[in-house]
Amino acid sequence: MSQMSGQTEIRYARCDGINIKHVGSEAFFTSPVTKSVHYLNPSALALLKLLDSPRTLQDVMSVFASAFPETPPARLAEDLSHLMIELERLALIRDAGTS
């Protein structure tokens, strides 16, 4: 997951065809690429919903920083980077070009 390309920042978006299913308070997804079912924790679900529209990592950080003001920015950046790498690996999010 590259963050910057020269002076432009990569935008990320949710991949097409992702199906999110809610069972009680739990959320699961299926992907047309992996063809498997996975559990989404609340943070991953919020990120996928946020990425309905292309956003930069900085955009995502700002939203999550507002939602979790008690979390140190460095910790938030590390956690979000790991989460986005995992979601990209599972073919749930994609590079949507540069801003």
Side-chain angles (χ1 to χ4, degrees), residues 32-52:
V33 175
T34 63
K35 300 197 183 343
S36 56
V37 177
H38 296 274
Y39 167 75
L40 287 171
N41 68 34
S43 295
L45 180 60
L47 180 57
L48 281 179
K49 287 182 177 183
L50 184 63
L51 294 178
D52 275 347

Side-chain angles (χ1 to χ4, degrees), residues 11-15 18 20 40-68 76 80 83-84 87 92-94 96:
R11 296 178 308 140
Y12 295 90
R14 189 167 93 177
C15 291
I18 302 301
I20 298 174
L40 287 171
N41 68 34
S43 295
L45 180 60
L47 180 57
L48 281 179
K49 287 182 177 183
L50 184 63
L51 294 178
D52 275 347
S53 299
R55 299 185 190 272
T56 65
L57 181 57
Q58 188 59 46
D59 294 338
V60 171
M61 289 273 306
S62 294
V63 170
F64 275 77
S66 294
F68 302 102
L76 192 60
L80 282 171
L83 177 57
M84 290 180 74
L87 293 178
L92 294 178
I93 65 172
R94 61 179 173 78

